[in-house]
Amino acid sequence: MCVGVPMQVLRLESPFAVWCRDASGGEALIDIGLIAAPQPGDWLLTFLGAAREVIDEQTAAQIQSALAAVAAALGGEHDLDAHFADLIHREPQLPEFLLPAKESAA
C-alpha cells in the first residue's frame, strides 16, 4: 500500500531539499524536485522522502486523521467516526468527472 504523509516545511536546506516535520514531531529531509519551491510553514504531501504536492493545512489535517484511523483500526478499534468528522452525516458525492454529462440547450 502506498501512503502519502503530510509534513510541514521547517526550513530550506538547498534549492532541491527542505527540512520538514511530521505529525509525530519527527523531522526529515525532503526532496522538492517535483514541486515549486515551498516556504517555511507550507504543508507538503510526501512519499518515500519526496514531496508530491503542496497541500493546505485543512487537507493535511484530514490526511493525518485518516492515518490515525488506520493506526486505530490496526490496534483493534472499531469506532472510527471521530477520525472522519468531515464525512459523517453527509451524503456521498461523486467526483465531477463521474457525474452525468450536462445536456446543452438547443
Coordinates of all heavy atoms in Angstrom, one line a residue:
M1 N 0.9 -1.2 0.0 CA 0.0 0.0 0.0 C 0.9 1.2 0.0 O 1.9 1.3 0.7 CB -0.9 0.0 1.3 CG -1.7 1.2 1.4 SD -3.0 1.2 2.7 CE -2.0 1.1 4.2
C2 N 0.6 2.2 -0.8 CA 1.3 3.5 -0.9 C 0.6 4.5 0.0 O -0.6 4.6 -0.1 CB 1.3 4.0 -2.3 SG 2.2 2.8 -3.4
V3 N 1.3 5.1 0.8 CA 0.7 6.1 1.7 C 1.5 7.4 1.7 O 2.7 7.4 1.9 CB 0.7 5.6 3.2 CG1 0.1 6.6 4.1 CG2 -0.1 4.3 3.3
G4 N 0.8 8.5 1.3 CA 1.4 9.8 1.4 C 1.3 10.4 2.8 O 0.2 10.2 3.5
V5 N 2.3 11.0 3.3 CA 2.3 11.6 4.6 C 2.5 13.1 4.6 O 3.4 13.6 3.9 CB 3.5 11.0 5.4 CG1 3.6 11.6 6.8 CG2 3.4 9.5 5.5
P6 N 1.5 13.8 5.2 CA 1.7 15.3 5.2 C 2.8 15.7 6.2 O 3.0 15.1 7.2 CB 0.3 15.8 5.8 CG -0.4 14.6 6.2 CD 0.3 13.4 5.9
M7 N 3.6 16.7 5.7 CA 4.7 17.2 6.5 C 4.7 18.7 6.3 O 4.5 19.2 5.2 CB 6.0 16.6 6.1 CG 6.1 15.0 6.3 SD 7.7 14.3 6.0 CE 8.4 14.7 7.6
Q8 N 5.1 19.4 7.4 CA 5.2 20.9 7.3 C 6.7 21.3 7.2 O 7.6 20.8 7.9 CB 4.6 21.5 8.6 CG 4.4 23.0 8.5 CD 3.7 23.6 9.6 OE1 3.7 23.1 10.7 NE2 3.0 24.7 9.3
V9 N 6.9 22.2 6.2 CA 8.2 22.7 5.9 C 8.7 23.5 7.1 O 8.0 24.4 7.6 CB 8.2 23.6 4.7 CG1 9.6 24.2 4.4 CG2 7.7 22.8 3.5
L10 N 9.9 23.2 7.6 CA 10.5 23.9 8.7 C 11.5 25.0 8.2 O 11.5 26.1 8.5 CB 11.3 23.0 9.6 CG 10.4 21.9 10.3 CD1 11.3 21.0 11.1 CD2 9.5 22.6 11.3
R11 N 12.4 24.5 7.3 CA 13.4 25.4 6.7 C 14.0 24.8 5.4 O 13.9 23.6 5.2 CB 14.6 25.6 7.7 CG 15.3 24.4 8.1 CD 16.3 24.6 9.2 NE 17.0 23.3 9.6 CZ 16.4 22.4 10.3 NH1 15.2 22.5 10.8 NH2 17.1 21.3 10.6
L12 N 14.5 25.7 4.6 CA 15.1 25.3 3.3 C 16.5 24.8 3.5 O 17.3 25.4 4.3 CB 15.1 26.5 2.3 CG 13.7 27.2 2.1 CD1 13.9 28.4 1.2 CD2 12.7 26.3 1.6
E13 N 16.8 23.7 2.9 CA 18.2 23.2 3.0 C 19.0 23.6 1.8 O 20.2 23.9 1.9 CB 18.1 21.6 3.2 CG 19.5 21.0 3.2 CD 20.3 21.2 4.4 OE1 19.7 21.7 5.5 OE2 21.5 21.0 4.4
S14 N 18.4 23.5 0.6 CA 19.0 23.8 -0.6 C 17.9 24.1 -1.6 O 16.7 23.9 -1.3 CB 19.9 22.6 -1.1 OG 19.0 21.6 -1.6
P15 N 18.2 24.4 -2.9 CA 17.2 24.6 -3.9 C 16.4 23.3 -4.2 O 15.4 23.3 -4.8 CB 17.9 25.1 -5.1 CG 19.2 25.6 -4.6 CD 19.5 24.8 -3.4
F16 N 16.9 22.2 -3.7 CA 16.3 20.9 -4.0 C 15.8 20.1 -2.8 O 15.2 19.0 -3.0 CB 17.4 20.0 -4.7 CG 18.0 20.7 -5.8 CD1 19.3 21.2 -5.7 CD2 17.3 20.9 -7.0 CE1 19.9 21.8 -6.8 CE2 18.0 21.6 -8.1 CZ 19.2 22.0 -8.0
A17 N 15.9 20.7 -1.6 CA 15.5 19.9 -0.4 C 15.1 20.9 0.7 O 15.6 22.0 0.8 CB 16.6 19.0 0.1
V18 N 14.2 20.4 1.5 CA 13.7 21.2 2.7 C 13.6 20.2 3.9 O 13.5 19.0 3.8 CB 12.3 21.8 2.5 CG1 12.4 22.9 1.4 CG2 11.3 20.8 2.1
W19 N 13.8 20.8 5.1 CA 13.6 20.0 6.3 C 12.1 20.2 6.7 O 11.6 21.3 6.7 CB 14.5 20.5 7.5 CG 15.9 20.0 7.3 CD1 16.9 20.6 6.8 CD2 16.3 18.7 7.7 NE1 18.0 19.8 6.8 CE2 17.7 18.6 7.4 CE3 15.7 17.6 8.3 CZ2 18.5 17.5 7.6 CZ3 16.5 16.5 8.6 CH2 17.8 16.4 8.2
C20 N 11.5 19.0 7.0 CA 10.0 19.0 7.4 C 9.8 18.3 8.7 O 10.6 17.5 9.1 CB 9.2 18.3 6.3 SG 9.2 19.2 4.7
R21 N 8.6 18.5 9.3 CA 8.2 17.8 10.5 C 6.9 17.1 10.2 O 6.0 17.7 9.6 CB 8.1 18.8 11.6 CG 7.6 18.1 12.9 CD 7.5 19.1 14.1 NE 8.8 19.7 14.4 CZ 9.0 21.0 14.6 NH1 8.0 21.8 14.5 NH2 10.2 21.4 14.9
D22 N 6.8 15.9 10.7 CA 5.5 15.2 10.6 C 4.7 15.3 11.8 O 5.1 16.0 12.8 CB 5.7 13.7 10.2 CG 6.5 12.9 11.3 OD1 6.5 13.4 12.5 OD2 7.0 11.8 11.0
A23 N 3.5 14.7 11.9 CA 2.6 14.9 13.0 C 3.1 14.4 14.3 O 2.8 14.9 15.4 CB 1.3 14.2 12.7
S24 N 4.0 13.4 14.2 CA 4.6 12.9 15.5 C 5.8 13.7 16.0 O 6.4 13.4 17.0 CB 5.0 11.4 15.3 OG 6.1 11.3 14.4
G25 N 6.2 14.7 15.2 CA 7.3 15.5 15.6 C 8.6 15.1 15.0 O 9.7 15.8 15.2
G26 N 8.6 14.0 14.2 CA 9.8 13.6 13.5 C 10.2 14.5 12.4 O 9.3 15.1 11.7
E27 N 11.5 14.7 12.2 CA 12.0 15.6 11.1 C 12.6 14.7 10.0 O 13.2 13.7 10.3 CB 12.9 16.6 11.6 CG 12.3 17.6 12.6 CD 13.2 18.7 13.0 OE1 14.3 18.9 12.4 OE2 12.8 19.4 13.9
A28 N 12.5 15.2 8.8 CA 13.1 14.5 7.6 C 13.5 15.5 6.6 O 12.9 16.6 6.4 CB 12.1 13.5 7.1
L29 N 14.6 15.2 5.9 CA 15.0 16.0 4.7 C 14.2 15.5 3.5 O 14.2 14.3 3.2 CB 16.5 15.8 4.5 CG 17.1 16.7 3.4 CD1 17.0 18.2 3.7 CD2 18.6 16.3 3.2
I30 N 13.4 16.4 2.9 CA 12.5 16.0 1.8 C 13.0 16.6 0.5 O 13.2 17.8 0.4 CB 11.1 16.5 2.1 CG1 10.6 15.9 3.4 CG2 10.1 16.2 1.0 CD1 10.4 14.4 3.4
D31 N 13.0 15.8 -0.6 CA 13.4 16.2 -1.9 C 12.2 17.0 -2.5 O 11.0 16.6 -2.4 CB 13.6 15.0 -2.8 CG 14.0 15.3 -4.2 OD1 13.5 16.3 -4.8 OD2 14.7 14.5 -4.8
I32 N 12.4 18.2 -3.0 CA 11.4 19.0 -3.6 C 11.5 19.2 -5.1 O 11.0 20.1 -5.7 CB 11.3 20.4 -2.9 CG1 12.6 21.2 -3.0 CG2 10.8 20.3 -1.5 CD1 12.5 22.6 -2.5
G33 N 12.2 18.3 -5.7 CA 12.4 18.4 -7.2 C 11.2 18.3 -8.0 O 11.2 18.7 -9.2
L34 N 10.1 17.8 -7.5 CA 8.8 17.6 -8.3 C 7.8 18.7 -8.1 O 6.8 18.7 -8.7 CB 8.2 16.3 -7.9 CG 9.0 15.0 -8.2 CD1 8.2 13.8 -7.7 CD2 9.2 14.9 -9.7
I35 N 8.1 19.7 -7.2 CA 7.2 20.8 -6.9 C 7.9 22.1 -7.0 O 9.1 22.2 -7.0 CB 6.5 20.6 -5.5 CG1 7.6 20.7 -4.4 CG2 5.8 19.3 -5.4 CD1 7.0 20.9 -3.0
A36 N 7.1 23.2 -7.1 CA 7.6 24.5 -7.0 C 8.2 24.7 -5.5 O 7.7 24.1 -4.6 CB 6.6 25.6 -7.3
A37 N 9.2 25.6 -5.4 CA 9.8 25.8 -4.1 C 8.8 26.2 -3.0 O 8.2 27.2 -3.2 CB 10.9 26.8 -4.2
P38 N 8.7 25.4 -1.9 CA 7.8 25.8 -0.9 C 8.5 26.8 0.1 O 9.7 27.0 0.0 CB 7.5 24.5 -0.2 CG 8.8 23.7 -0.4 CD 9.3 24.1 -1.7
Q39 N 7.7 27.3 1.0 CA 8.2 28.3 2.0 C 8.0 27.6 3.4 O 7.1 26.7 3.6 CB 7.4 29.6 2.0 CG 7.6 30.3 0.7 CD 9.0 30.7 0.4 OE1 9.7 31.2 1.2 NE2 9.5 30.4 -0.8
P40 N 8.8 28.0 4.4 CA 8.6 27.5 5.7 C 7.1 27.7 6.2 O 6.5 28.8 5.9 CB 9.5 28.3 6.6 CG 10.7 28.6 5.6 CD 10.0 28.9 4.3
G41 N 6.5 26.7 6.8 CA 5.1 26.8 7.2 C 4.2 26.1 6.2 O 3.1 25.7 6.5
D42 N 4.6 25.9 4.9 CA 3.8 25.2 3.9 C 3.7 23.7 4.3 O 4.6 23.2 4.9 CB 4.4 25.3 2.5 CG 4.3 26.7 1.9 OD1 3.6 27.5 2.4 OD2 5.0 26.9 0.8
W43 N 2.6 23.1 3.8 CA 2.4 21.7 4.0 C 2.6 21.0 2.7 O 2.2 21.4 1.7 CB 0.9 21.4 4.5 CG 0.7 21.8 5.9 CD1 0.3 23.0 6.4 CD2 1.0 20.9 7.1 NE1 0.3 22.9 7.8 CE2 0.7 21.7 8.2 CE3 1.4 19.6 7.2 CZ2 0.8 21.1 9.5 CZ3 1.6 19.1 8.5 CH2 1.3 19.9 9.6
L44 N 3.3 19.8 2.8 CA 3.6 19.0 1.6 C 3.0 17.6 1.8 O 3.0 17.1 3.0 CB 5.1 18.9 1.4 CG 5.9 20.2 1.4 CD1 7.4 19.9 1.3 CD2 5.4 21.1 0.2
L45 N 2.5 17.0 0.8 CA 2.2 15.6 0.8 C 3.4 14.9 0.3 O 3.9 15.1 -0.8 CB 1.0 15.3 -0.1 CG 0.5 13.9 0.0 CD1 0.1 13.5 1.4 CD2 -0.7 13.7 -1.0
T46 N 4.0 14.0 1.2 CA 5.3 13.4 0.8 C 5.1 11.9 0.7 O 4.2 11.3 1.3 CB 6.3 13.7 1.9 OG1 6.0 13.0 3.1 CG2 6.5 15.2 2.2
F47 N 6.0 11.3 -0.1 CA 6.0 9.9 -0.2 C 7.4 9.4 -0.5 O 8.1 10.0 -1.4 CB 5.1 9.5 -1.4 CG 5.1 8.0 -1.7 CD1 4.5 7.1 -0.9 CD2 5.7 7.6 -2.9 CE1 4.5 5.8 -1.2 CE2 5.7 6.2 -3.2 CZ 5.1 5.3 -2.3
L48 N 7.9 8.5 0.3 CA 9.3 8.0 0.1 C 10.4 9.1 0.0 O 11.2 9.1 -0.8 CB 9.4 7.1 -1.1 CG 8.5 5.8 -1.1 CD1 8.6 5.1 -2.4 CD2 9.0 4.9 0.1
G49 N 10.2 10.1 0.9 CA 11.2 11.1 1.0 C 11.2 12.2 0.0 O 12.1 13.1 -0.1
A50 N 10.1 12.3 -0.8 CA 9.9 13.3 -1.8 C 8.6 13.9 -1.7 O 7.6 13.3 -1.5 CB 10.1 12.7 -3.2
A51 N 8.5 15.3 -1.9 CA 7.3 16.0 -1.9 C 6.6 15.7 -3.3 O 7.2 15.8 -4.3 CB 7.5 17.5 -1.8
R52 N 5.3 15.4 -3.2 CA 4.5 15.2 -4.4 C 3.6 16.4 -4.8 O 3.4 16.6 -5.9 CB 3.6 13.9 -4.2 CG 4.3 12.7 -3.9 CD 5.3 12.3 -5.0 NE 5.9 11.0 -4.8 CZ 7.0 10.6 -5.3 NH1 7.7 11.4 -6.0 NH2 7.5 9.4 -5.0
E53 N 3.2 17.1 -3.7 CA 2.4 18.3 -4.0 C 2.3 19.1 -2.7 O 2.5 18.7 -1.6 CB 1.0 18.0 -4.5 CG 0.1 17.3 -3.4 CD -1.3 17.0 -4.0 OE1 -2.1 18.0 -4.2 OE2 -1.6 15.8 -4.2
V54 N 2.0 20.4 -2.9 CA 1.8 21.3 -1.8 C 0.3 21.2 -1.5 O -0.5 21.2 -2.4 CB 2.2 22.8 -2.2 CG1 1.8 23.7 -1.0 CG2 3.6 22.9 -2.5
I55 N 0.0 21.1 -0.2 CA -1.4 21.0 0.2 C -1.7 22.0 1.3 O -0.8 22.6 1.9 CB -1.7 19.6 0.8 CG1 -0.8 19.2 2.0 CG2 -1.6 18.5 -0.3 CD1 -1.1 17.9 2.6
D56 N -3.0 22.3 1.5 CA -3.3 23.3 2.6 C -3.4 22.6 3.9 O -3.4 21.4 4.0 CB -4.6 24.0 2.2 CG -5.8 23.1 2.1 OD1 -6.0 22.1 2.9 OD2 -6.7 23.3 1.2
E57 N -3.5 23.4 5.0 CA -3.5 22.9 6.3 C -4.6 22.0 6.6 O -4.5 21.0 7.3 CB -3.4 24.0 7.3 CG -3.2 23.6 8.8 CD -3.0 24.8 9.7 OE1 -3.1 25.9 9.3 OE2 -2.8 24.5 10.9
Q58 N -5.8 22.3 6.1 CA -7.0 21.5 6.3 C -6.9 20.1 5.7 O -7.2 19.1 6.3 CB -8.3 22.2 5.7 CG -9.5 21.4 5.9 CD -10.7 22.0 5.3 OE1 -10.7 23.1 4.7 NE2 -11.9 21.4 5.5
T59 N -6.3 20.1 4.5 CA -6.1 18.8 3.8 C -5.1 18.0 4.6 O -5.3 16.8 4.8 CB -5.6 19.0 2.4 OG1 -6.7 19.8 1.7 CG2 -5.4 17.7 1.6
A60 N -4.0 18.6 5.1 CA -3.0 17.9 5.9 C -3.7 17.3 7.1 O -3.4 16.2 7.5 CB -1.9 18.9 6.3
A61 N -4.6 18.1 7.8 CA -5.2 17.6 9.0 C -6.1 16.4 8.7 O -6.2 15.4 9.4 CB -6.0 18.7 9.7
Q62 N -6.8 16.5 7.5 CA -7.7 15.3 7.2 C -6.9 14.1 6.9 O -7.3 13.0 7.3 CB -8.6 15.7 5.9 CG -9.6 16.8 6.3 CD -10.3 17.3 5.0 OE1 -9.7 17.3 3.9 NE2 -11.5 17.8 5.2
I63 N -5.8 14.2 6.2 CA -5.0 13.1 5.9 C -4.4 12.5 7.2 O -4.4 11.3 7.4 CB -3.8 13.4 4.9 CG1 -4.5 13.8 3.5 CG2 -2.8 12.3 4.7 CD1 -3.5 14.4 2.6
Q64 N -3.9 13.4 8.1 CA -3.4 12.9 9.4 C -4.4 12.2 10.2 O -4.1 11.1 10.8 CB -2.8 14.1 10.2 CG -1.5 14.6 9.6 CD -1.1 16.0 10.2 OE1 -1.9 16.7 10.8 NE2 0.2 16.3 10.1
S65 N -5.7 12.6 10.1 CA -6.8 12.0 10.8 C -7.0 10.6 10.2 O -7.3 9.6 10.9 CB -8.0 12.8 10.8 OG -9.0 12.3 11.6
A66 N -7.0 10.5 8.9 CA -7.2 9.2 8.2 C -6.1 8.2 8.6 O -6.3 7.1 8.8 CB -7.3 9.4 6.7
L67 N -4.9 8.7 8.6 CA -3.7 7.9 9.0 C -3.9 7.4 10.5 O -3.6 6.3 10.8 CB -2.4 8.6 8.8 CG -2.0 8.9 7.4 CD1 -0.8 9.8 7.3 CD2 -1.8 7.6 6.6
A68 N -4.4 8.3 11.3 CA -4.6 7.9 12.7 C -5.7 6.8 12.8 O -5.7 5.9 13.6 CB -5.0 9.1 13.6
A69 N -6.7 6.9 11.9 CA -7.8 5.9 11.9 C -7.2 4.5 11.5 O -7.6 3.5 12.0 CB -8.9 6.3 10.9
V70 N -6.3 4.5 10.5 CA -5.7 3.3 10.1 C -4.9 2.7 11.3 O -5.0 1.5 11.6 CB -4.7 3.5 8.9 CG1 -3.9 2.2 8.6 CG2 -5.5 3.9 7.7
A71 N -4.2 3.5 12.0 CA -3.4 3.0 13.2 C -4.4 2.5 14.3 O -4.1 1.5 14.9 CB -2.5 4.1 13.8
A72 N -5.5 3.2 14.5 CA -6.5 2.8 15.4 C -7.1 1.5 15.0 O -7.3 0.6 15.9 CB -7.6 3.9 15.6
A73 N -7.5 1.3 13.8 CA -8.0 0.0 13.3 C -7.1 -1.1 13.4 O -7.4 -2.2 13.9 CB -8.5 0.2 11.8
L74 N -5.8 -0.9 13.2 CA -4.8 -1.9 13.4 C -4.6 -2.3 14.8 O -4.2 -3.4 15.2 CB -3.4 -1.4 12.8 CG -3.4 -1.4 11.2 CD1 -2.1 -0.7 10.8 CD2 -3.5 -2.8 10.6
G75 N -5.0 -1.3 15.7 CA -4.9 -1.5 17.1 C -6.2 -2.2 17.7 O -6.3 -2.3 18.9
G76 N -7.1 -2.4 16.8 CA -8.3 -3.1 17.3 C -9.5 -2.3 17.5 O -10.6 -2.8 17.9
E77 N -9.4 -0.9 17.3 CA -10.6 -0.1 17.5 C -11.6 -0.3 16.4 O -11.2 -0.6 15.2 CB -10.2 1.4 17.5 CG -9.5 1.8 18.8 CD -9.2 3.3 18.8 OE1 -10.1 4.1 18.4 OE2 -8.1 3.7 19.2
H78 N -12.9 -0.1 16.7 CA -13.9 -0.3 15.7 C -14.7 1.0 15.4 O -15.3 1.1 14.3 CB -14.9 -1.4 16.2 CG -14.3 -2.7 16.4 ND1 -13.9 -3.5 15.3 CD2 -13.9 -3.4 17.5 CE1 -13.3 -4.6 15.7 NE2 -13.3 -4.6 17.1
D79 N -14.7 1.9 16.4 CA -15.5 3.1 16.2 C -14.5 4.2 15.7 O -13.8 4.8 16.4 CB -16.1 3.6 17.5 CG -17.0 4.8 17.3 OD1 -17.2 5.2 16.1 OD2 -17.4 5.4 18.3
L80 N -14.5 4.4 14.4 CA -13.5 5.3 13.8 C -14.2 6.6 13.3 O -13.5 7.4 12.6 CB -12.8 4.6 12.6 CG -12.1 3.3 13.0 CD1 -11.6 2.6 11.7 CD2 -11.0 3.5 14.0
D81 N -15.4 6.8 13.6 CA -16.1 8.0 13.1 C -15.4 9.3 13.5 O -15.4 10.3 12.7 CB -17.5 8.1 13.7 CG -18.5 7.1 13.1 OD1 -18.0 6.4 12.2 OD2 -19.6 7.0 13.5
A82 N -14.8 9.4 14.6 CA -14.1 10.7 15.1 C -13.0 11.0 14.1 O -12.6 12.2 14.0 CB -13.6 10.5 16.5
H83 N -12.4 10.0 13.4 CA -11.3 10.3 12.5 C -11.8 10.8 11.2 O -11.0 11.3 10.4 CB -10.5 9.0 12.3 CG -9.8 8.5 13.5 ND1 -8.7 9.1 14.1 CD2 -10.2 7.5 14.3 CE1 -8.4 8.4 15.1 NE2 -9.2 7.5 15.3
F84 N -13.1 10.7 10.9 CA -13.6 11.2 9.6 C -14.8 12.1 9.8 O -15.8 12.0 9.2 CB -14.1 9.9 8.8 CG -13.0 9.0 8.5 CD1 -12.8 7.8 9.3 CD2 -12.0 9.3 7.5 CE1 -11.8 7.0 9.0 CE2 -11.0 8.4 7.3 CZ -10.8 7.2 8.0
A85 N -14.6 13.1 10.7 CA -15.6 14.1 11.0 C -16.1 14.8 9.8 O -17.3 15.2 9.7 CB -15.1 15.1 12.1
D86 N -15.3 15.0 8.8 CA -15.7 15.7 7.6 C -16.6 14.9 6.7 O -17.2 15.4 5.8 CB -14.4 16.2 6.8 CG -13.6 15.0 6.3 OD1 -13.3 14.1 7.2 OD2 -13.1 15.0 5.2
L87 N -16.7 13.6 6.9 CA -17.5 12.7 6.1 C -18.8 12.3 6.8 O -19.7 11.8 6.1 CB -16.7 11.5 5.7 CG -15.5 11.8 4.9 CD1 -14.7 10.5 4.6 CD2 -15.8 12.5 3.6
I88 N -18.9 12.4 8.1 CA -20.0 11.9 8.9 C -21.2 12.8 8.6 O -21.1 14.0 8.5 CB -19.7 11.9 10.4 CG1 -18.5 11.0 10.6 CG2 -20.9 11.4 11.2 CD1 -18.6 9.6 10.2
H89 N -22.4 12.3 8.5 CA -23.6 13.0 8.3 C -23.7 13.8 7.0 O -24.2 14.9 6.9 CB -23.9 13.9 9.5 CG -23.9 13.2 10.8 ND1 -24.8 12.2 11.1 CD2 -23.2 13.4 11.9 CE1 -24.5 11.8 12.3 NE2 -23.5 12.4 12.8
R90 N -23.1 13.2 6.0 CA -23.2 13.9 4.7 C -23.3 12.8 3.6 O -22.7 11.7 3.7 CB -22.0 14.8 4.5 CG -21.1 14.6 3.3 CD -19.9 15.5 3.3 NE -18.7 14.8 2.9 CZ -18.2 14.8 1.7 NH1 -18.7 15.5 0.8 NH2 -17.2 14.0 1.5
E91 N -24.0 13.1 2.6 CA -24.3 12.2 1.5 C -23.0 12.0 0.7 O -22.3 13.0 0.5 CB -25.4 12.7 0.6 CG -26.8 12.6 1.2 CD -27.2 11.2 1.5 OE1 -27.0 10.3 0.6 OE2 -27.7 10.9 2.6
P92 N -22.7 10.8 0.2 CA -21.5 10.7 -0.6 C -21.7 11.5 -1.9 O -22.8 11.7 -2.4 CB -21.6 9.2 -1.0 CG -22.4 8.6 0.0 CD -23.4 9.6 0.5
Q93 N -20.6 12.0 -2.4 CA -20.6 12.9 -3.6 C -19.7 12.3 -4.6 O -18.5 11.9 -4.3 CB -20.2 14.3 -3.3 CG -21.1 15.0 -2.3 CD -20.5 16.3 -1.8 OE1 -19.4 16.5 -1.8 NE2 -21.4 17.2 -1.5
L94 N -20.2 12.2 -5.9 CA -19.3 11.7 -6.9 C -18.4 12.8 -7.4 O -18.7 14.0 -7.4 CB -20.2 11.3 -8.1 CG -21.0 10.0 -8.0 CD1 -21.9 9.8 -9.2 CD2 -20.0 8.8 -7.9
P95 N -17.2 12.5 -7.8 CA -16.3 13.5 -8.3 C -16.9 14.0 -9.7 O -17.7 13.3 -10.3 CB -15.0 12.7 -8.6 CG -15.1 11.4 -8.1 CD -16.6 11.2 -7.7
E96 N -16.5 15.2 -10.0 CA -17.0 15.9 -11.2 C -17.0 15.0 -12.5 O -17.9 14.9 -13.2 CB -16.3 17.2 -11.4 CG -16.8 18.0 -12.6 CD -18.0 18.8 -12.2 OE1 -18.2 19.2 -11.1 OE2 -18.8 19.1 -13.2
F97 N -15.8 14.3 -12.6 CA -15.7 13.5 -13.9 C -16.6 12.3 -13.9 O -16.7 11.7 -15.0 CB -14.2 13.1 -14.1 CG -13.7 12.1 -13.1 CD1 -13.7 10.8 -13.3 CD2 -13.1 12.6 -11.9 CE1 -13.2 9.9 -12.3 CE2 -12.6 11.7 -10.9 CZ -12.7 10.3 -11.2
L98 N -17.2 11.9 -12.8 CA -18.1 10.7 -12.8 C -19.6 11.2 -12.9 O -20.5 10.3 -13.1 CB -17.9 9.9 -11.6 CG -16.6 9.1 -11.5 CD1 -16.5 8.3 -10.2 CD2 -16.5 8.2 -12.7
L99 N -19.9 12.4 -12.9 CA -21.2 12.9 -13.0 C -21.7 12.8 -14.4 O -20.9 12.9 -15.3 CB -21.3 14.4 -12.5 CG -21.0 14.6 -11.0 CD1 -21.0 16.1 -10.8 CD2 -22.1 14.0 -10.2
P100 N -23.1 12.6 -14.6 CA -23.6 12.5 -16.0 C -23.3 13.8 -16.7 O -23.3 14.9 -16.1 CB -25.1 12.3 -15.8 CG -25.3 12.0 -14.3 CD -24.1 12.5 -13.6
A101 N -23.1 13.7 -18.0 CA -22.8 14.9 -18.8 C -24.1 15.8 -18.8 O -25.2 15.3 -18.9 CB -22.5 14.5 -20.2
K102 N -23.9 17.1 -18.8 CA -25.0 18.0 -18.8 C -25.4 18.2 -20.3 O -24.5 18.4 -21.1 CB -24.6 19.3 -18.2 CG -24.3 19.2 -16.7 CD -23.9 20.5 -16.1 CE -23.6 20.4 -14.7 NZ -23.1 21.6 -14.1
E103 N -26.7 18.2 -20.5 CA -27.2 18.4 -21.9 C -27.2 19.9 -22.2 O -27.7 20.7 -21.3 CB -28.5 17.8 -22.1 CG -28.5 16.3 -22.0 CD -29.8 15.6 -22.3 OE1 -30.6 16.3 -23.0 OE2 -30.1 14.5 -21.7
S104 N -26.8 20.3 -23.3 CA -26.8 21.7 -23.7 C -28.2 22.1 -24.2 O -28.8 21.2 -24.9 CB -25.7 22.1 -24.7 OG -25.9 21.3 -25.9
A105 N -28.6 23.3 -24.0 CA -29.9 23.7 -24.5 C -29.8 24.0 -26.0 O -28.9 24.7 -26.4 CB -30.4 25.0 -23.8
A106 N -30.7 23.4 -26.8 CA -30.7 23.6 -28.2 C -31.5 24.7 -28.7 O -32.4 25.1 -28.2 CB -31.1 22.3 -28.9

